[in-house]
Coordinates of all heavy atoms in Angstrom, one line a residue:
M1 N 238.6 151.8 105.8 CA 239.8 152.5 105.5 C 239.6 154.0 105.8 O 240.6 154.7 106.2 CB 240.1 152.3 104.0 CG 241.4 153.0 103.5 SD 242.8 152.2 104.3 CE 244.1 153.1 103.6
N2 N 238.4 154.5 105.6 CA 238.1 155.9 105.9 C 238.4 156.3 107.3 O 238.9 157.3 107.7 CB 236.7 156.3 105.5 CG 236.7 156.8 104.1 OD1 237.7 157.1 103.4 ND2 235.5 157.0 103.6
W3 N 238.0 155.4 108.2 CA 238.1 155.6 109.7 C 239.6 155.7 110.1 O 240.0 156.5 110.9 CB 237.4 154.6 110.5 CG 235.9 154.7 110.4 CD1 235.1 153.9 109.7 CD2 235.1 155.7 110.9 NE1 233.8 154.3 109.7 CE2 233.8 155.4 110.5 CE3 235.4 156.9 111.6 CZ2 232.7 156.3 110.8 CZ3 234.3 157.7 112.0 CH2 233.0 157.4 111.6
I4 N 240.4 155.0 109.4 CA 241.9 155.0 109.7 C 242.4 156.4 109.3 O 243.2 157.1 110.0 CB 242.6 153.9 109.0 CG1 242.2 152.6 109.6 CG2 244.1 154.1 109.1 CD1 242.7 151.4 108.9
L5 N 242.0 156.9 108.1 CA 242.5 158.2 107.6 C 242.0 159.3 108.5 O 242.7 160.3 108.7 CB 242.1 158.4 106.1 CG 242.7 157.5 105.1 CD1 242.1 157.7 103.7 CD2 244.2 157.7 105.1
I6 N 240.7 159.2 108.9 CA 240.2 160.2 109.8 C 240.9 160.2 111.1 O 241.2 161.3 111.7 CB 238.6 160.0 110.0 CG1 237.9 160.2 108.7 CG2 238.1 160.8 111.1 CD1 236.5 159.8 108.7
G7 N 241.2 159.0 111.6 CA 241.9 158.9 112.9 C 243.3 159.6 112.8 O 243.8 160.2 113.7
I8 N 244.0 159.3 111.7 CA 245.3 159.9 111.5 C 245.2 161.4 111.4 O 246.0 162.1 112.0 CB 246.0 159.3 110.2 CG1 246.3 157.8 110.4 CG2 247.2 160.1 109.8 CD1 246.8 157.1 109.2
A9 N 244.2 161.9 110.7 CA 244.1 163.4 110.5 C 243.8 164.0 111.9 O 244.3 165.1 112.2 CB 243.0 163.7 109.5
L10 N 242.9 163.4 112.7 CA 242.6 163.9 114.0 C 243.9 163.9 114.9 O 244.1 164.8 115.7 CB 241.5 163.2 114.6 CG 240.1 163.4 114.0 CD1 239.0 162.6 114.6 CD2 239.7 164.9 114.1
Y11 N 244.6 162.8 114.8 CA 245.9 162.7 115.6 C 246.9 163.8 115.2 O 247.5 164.4 116.1 CB 246.5 161.3 115.5 CG 247.8 161.3 116.2 CD1 247.9 161.2 117.6 CD2 249.0 161.3 115.5 CE1 249.1 161.2 118.3 CE2 250.2 161.3 116.2 CZ 250.3 161.2 117.5 OH 251.5 161.2 118.2
L12 N 247.0 164.0 113.9 CA 247.9 165.1 113.4 C 247.4 166.4 113.9 O 248.2 167.3 114.3 CB 248.0 165.1 111.9 CG 248.8 163.9 111.3 CD1 248.6 163.9 109.8 CD2 250.2 164.0 111.7
T13 N 246.1 166.7 114.0 CA 245.6 167.9 114.6 C 246.0 168.1 116.0 O 246.5 169.1 116.4 CB 244.1 167.9 114.5 OG1 243.7 167.8 113.1 CG2 243.5 169.2 115.1
Y14 N 245.8 167.0 116.8 CA 246.2 167.1 118.2 C 247.7 167.3 118.4 O 248.1 168.2 119.2 CB 245.7 165.8 118.9 CG 246.4 165.5 120.2 CD1 245.9 166.3 121.3 CD2 247.4 164.6 120.4 CE1 246.5 166.1 122.6 CE2 248.0 164.5 121.6 CZ 247.5 165.2 122.7 OH 248.1 165.0 123.9
Y15 N 248.5 166.5 117.7 CA 249.9 166.6 117.9 C 250.4 168.0 117.4 O 251.3 168.6 118.1 CB 250.6 165.5 117.1 CG 252.1 165.5 117.2 CD1 252.7 165.1 118.4 CD2 252.9 166.1 116.2 CE1 254.1 165.1 118.5 CE2 254.3 166.1 116.4 CZ 254.9 165.6 117.5 OH 256.2 165.7 117.6
T16 N 250.0 168.5 116.3 CA 250.5 169.8 115.8 C 250.0 170.9 116.8 O 250.7 171.8 117.0 CB 249.9 170.0 114.4 OG1 250.2 168.9 113.6 CG2 250.6 171.2 113.8
F17 N 248.8 170.8 117.3 CA 248.3 171.8 118.2 C 249.1 171.8 119.5 O 249.5 172.9 120.0 CB 246.8 171.6 118.5 CG 246.3 172.6 119.5 CD1 246.0 173.9 119.0 CD2 246.0 172.3 120.8 CE1 245.5 174.8 119.9 CE2 245.5 173.2 121.7 CZ 245.2 174.5 121.2
T18 N 249.4 170.6 120.1 CA 250.2 170.6 121.3 C 251.6 171.1 121.0 O 252.2 171.8 121.9 CB 250.2 169.2 121.9 OG1 250.7 168.3 121.0 CG2 248.8 168.8 122.4
Y19 N 252.2 170.8 119.9 CA 253.5 171.3 119.6 C 253.5 172.8 119.4 O 254.5 173.5 119.8 CB 254.1 170.6 118.3 CG 255.5 170.9 118.0 CD1 256.5 170.5 118.9 CD2 255.9 171.6 116.9 CE1 257.8 170.8 118.6 CE2 257.2 171.9 116.7 CZ 258.2 171.5 117.5 OH 259.5 171.8 117.3
A20 N 252.5 173.3 118.8 CA 252.3 174.8 118.6 C 252.3 175.4 120.0 O 252.9 176.5 120.2 CB 251.1 175.1 117.8
R21 N 251.6 174.9 120.9 CA 251.5 175.5 122.3 C 252.9 175.4 122.9 O 253.3 176.4 123.6 CB 250.5 174.7 123.1 CG 249.1 175.1 122.8 CD 248.1 174.5 123.7 NE 248.4 174.6 125.1 CZ 247.9 175.5 125.9 NH1 247.0 176.3 125.5 NH2 248.3 175.5 127.2
K22 N 253.6 174.3 122.7 CA 255.0 174.2 123.3 C 255.9 175.3 122.7 O 256.6 176.0 123.4 CB 255.5 172.9 123.1 CG 256.9 172.7 123.6 CD 257.5 171.3 123.1 CE 259.0 171.2 123.4 NZ 259.8 172.2 122.8
V23 N 255.8 175.5 121.4 CA 256.7 176.5 120.7 C 256.3 177.9 121.2 O 257.1 178.7 121.4 CB 256.6 176.3 119.2 CG1 257.3 177.4 118.5 CG2 257.3 175.0 118.8
W24 N 255.0 178.1 121.3 CA 254.4 179.4 121.7 C 254.9 179.7 123.1 O 255.3 180.9 123.4 CB 252.9 179.4 121.7 CG 252.3 180.7 122.1 CD1 252.0 181.1 123.3 CD2 251.9 181.7 121.2 NE1 251.4 182.3 123.3 CE2 251.3 182.7 122.0 CE3 251.9 181.9 119.8 CZ2 250.8 183.9 121.4 CZ3 251.4 183.0 119.3 CH2 250.8 184.0 120.1
N25 N 254.9 178.7 124.0 CA 255.3 179.0 125.4 C 256.8 179.1 125.5 O 257.3 179.6 126.5 CB 254.8 177.8 126.3 CG 253.4 177.9 126.5 OD1 252.7 179.0 126.4 ND2 252.7 176.8 126.7
D26 N 257.6 178.7 124.5 CA 259.0 178.9 124.5 C 259.4 180.2 123.9 O 260.6 180.4 123.5 CB 259.7 177.7 123.7 CG 259.7 176.4 124.4 OD1 259.5 176.4 125.6 OD2 259.9 175.4 123.7
N27 N 258.5 181.1 123.8 CA 258.7 182.5 123.4 C 259.1 182.6 121.9 O 259.8 183.5 121.5 CB 259.7 183.3 124.2 CG 259.1 183.6 125.6 OD1 257.9 183.8 125.7 ND2 260.0 183.7 126.6
N28 N 258.5 181.7 121.1 CA 258.7 181.8 119.7 C 257.3 182.0 119.1 O 256.7 181.0 118.6 CB 259.4 180.6 119.1 CG 259.9 180.9 117.7 OD1 259.5 181.8 117.1 ND2 260.8 180.0 117.2
K29 N 256.8 183.2 119.2 CA 255.4 183.4 118.8 C 255.1 183.3 117.4 O 254.0 182.8 117.0 CB 255.0 184.9 119.3 CG 255.2 185.2 120.7 CD 254.4 184.4 121.6 CE 254.6 184.9 123.1 NZ 254.1 184.0 124.1
T30 N 256.0 183.6 116.5 CA 255.7 183.5 115.1 C 255.6 182.1 114.6 O 254.7 181.7 113.9 CB 256.9 184.2 114.3 OG1 257.0 185.6 114.8 CG2 256.6 184.3 112.8
A31 N 256.5 181.3 115.1 CA 256.5 179.8 114.7 C 255.3 179.2 115.4 O 254.7 178.3 114.7 CB 257.8 179.1 115.1
G32 N 255.0 179.6 116.6 CA 253.8 179.0 117.2 C 252.5 179.3 116.5 O 251.6 178.5 116.4
L33 N 252.4 180.6 116.0 CA 251.2 180.9 115.2 C 251.1 180.2 113.9 O 250.1 179.7 113.5 CB 251.2 182.5 115.0 CG 250.0 183.0 114.3 CD1 248.8 182.8 115.1 CD2 250.3 184.5 114.0
A34 N 252.3 180.0 113.3 CA 252.3 179.3 112.0 C 251.9 177.8 112.2 O 251.1 177.2 111.4 CB 253.7 179.3 111.4
L35 N 252.4 177.2 113.3 CA 252.0 175.8 113.6 C 250.5 175.7 114.0 O 249.9 174.7 113.7 CB 252.9 175.3 114.7 CG 254.3 174.9 114.3 CD1 255.2 174.7 115.5 CD2 254.3 173.7 113.3
L36 N 250.0 176.7 114.7 CA 248.6 176.7 115.0 C 247.7 176.8 113.8 O 246.7 176.1 113.7 CB 248.3 177.9 116.0 CG 246.9 178.0 116.5 CD1 246.7 176.8 117.5 CD2 246.7 179.3 117.3
M37 N 248.1 177.6 112.8 CA 247.4 177.7 111.6 C 247.5 176.3 110.8 O 246.5 175.9 110.2 CB 247.9 178.8 110.7 CG 247.5 180.2 111.3 SD 248.3 181.6 110.5 CE 248.0 181.3 108.8
L38 N 248.6 175.7 110.9 CA 248.8 174.4 110.2 C 247.9 173.3 110.9 O 247.3 172.5 110.2 CB 250.3 174.0 110.2 CG 250.6 172.6 109.6 CD1 250.3 172.7 108.1 CD2 252.0 172.3 109.9
S39 N 247.8 173.4 112.2 CA 247.0 172.4 112.9 C 245.5 172.6 112.5 O 244.8 171.6 112.6 CB 247.2 172.5 114.4 OG 246.6 173.6 114.9
G40 N 245.1 173.8 112.2 CA 243.7 174.0 111.8 C 243.4 173.4 110.4 O 242.2 173.3 110.1
C41 N 244.4 173.0 109.6 CA 244.2 172.4 108.3 C 243.7 171.0 108.4 O 243.1 170.5 107.4 CB 245.4 172.5 107.4 SG 245.9 174.2 107.1
Y42 N 244.1 170.3 109.5 CA 243.8 168.9 109.5 C 242.3 168.6 109.9 O 241.8 167.6 109.5 CB 244.7 168.2 110.5 CG 246.1 168.2 110.1 CD1 247.1 168.9 110.8 CD2 246.5 167.5 109.0 CE1 248.4 168.9 110.5 CE2 247.8 167.5 108.6 CZ 248.8 168.2 109.3 OH 250.1 168.2 108.9
L43 N 241.6 169.5 110.6 CA 240.2 169.3 110.9 C 239.3 169.3 109.6 O 238.5 168.4 109.5 CB 239.7 170.3 111.9 CG 240.1 170.0 113.3 CD1 239.7 171.2 114.2 CD2 239.5 168.8 113.8
P44 N 239.5 170.3 108.8 CA 238.7 170.2 107.5 C 239.1 169.0 106.7 O 238.2 168.4 106.0 CB 239.1 171.5 106.8 CG 239.5 172.4 107.8 CD 240.2 171.6 108.9
L45 N 240.3 168.6 106.7 CA 240.7 167.4 106.0 C 240.0 166.2 106.5 O 239.4 165.3 105.8 CB 242.2 167.2 106.1 CG 242.7 165.8 105.5 CD1 242.5 165.8 104.0 CD2 244.2 165.7 105.9
S46 N 239.9 166.0 107.8 CA 239.2 164.9 108.4 C 237.7 164.9 108.1 O 237.0 163.9 107.8 CB 239.4 164.8 109.9 OG 238.9 165.9 110.6
L47 N 237.1 166.1 108.1 CA 235.7 166.3 107.8 C 235.4 165.9 106.3 O 234.5 165.3 105.9 CB 235.2 167.7 108.1 CG 235.1 168.0 109.6 CD1 234.7 169.4 109.7 CD2 234.1 167.1 110.2
Y48 N 236.4 166.4 105.4 CA 236.2 166.1 104.0 C 236.3 164.5 103.8 O 235.6 164.0 103.0 CB 237.3 166.8 103.2 CG 237.5 166.3 101.8 CD1 236.5 166.7 100.9 CD2 238.5 165.4 101.4 CE1 236.6 166.2 99.6 CE2 238.6 165.0 100.1 CZ 237.6 165.4 99.2 OH 237.7 164.9 97.9
L49 N 237.3 163.9 104.5 CA 237.4 162.5 104.3 C 236.2 161.7 104.8 O 235.8 160.7 104.3 CB 238.6 162.0 105.0 CG 240.0 162.4 104.4 CD1 241.1 162.0 105.3 CD2 240.1 161.8 103.0
H50 N 235.6 162.3 105.9 CA 234.4 161.6 106.4 C 233.1 161.7 105.5 O 232.4 160.8 105.4 CB 234.1 162.2 107.8 CG 232.9 161.5 108.5 ND1 232.9 160.2 108.9 CD2 231.7 162.0 108.8 CE1 231.8 159.9 109.4 NE2 231.0 161.0 109.4
F51 N 233.0 162.9 104.9 CA 231.7 163.2 104.2 C 231.8 163.0 102.7 O 230.9 163.3 102.0 CB 231.2 164.6 104.5 CG 230.7 164.7 105.9 CD1 231.3 165.6 106.8 CD2 229.6 163.9 106.4 CE1 230.9 165.7 108.1 CE2 229.2 164.0 107.7 CZ 229.8 164.9 108.6

Side-chain angles (χ1 to χ4, degrees):
M1 184 68 179
N2 270 349
W3 290 107
I4 294 171
L5 293 175
I6 292 168
I8 290 171
L10 290 175
Y11 175 74
L12 287 173
T13 300
Y14 165 74
Y15 180 77
T16 310
F17 180 75
T18 56
Y19 187 66
R21 285 183 47 100
K22 179 189 170 298
V23 170
W24 181 275
N25 290 333
D26 288 342
N27 287 331
N28 195 347
K29 306 293 186 195
T30 306
L33 183 62
L35 286 168
L36 186 65
M37 290 172 49
L38 179 65
S39 73
C41 296
Y42 294 114
L43 282 174
L45 173 65
S46 64
L47 290 175
Y48 169 75
L49 291 174
H50 181 69
F51 291 117

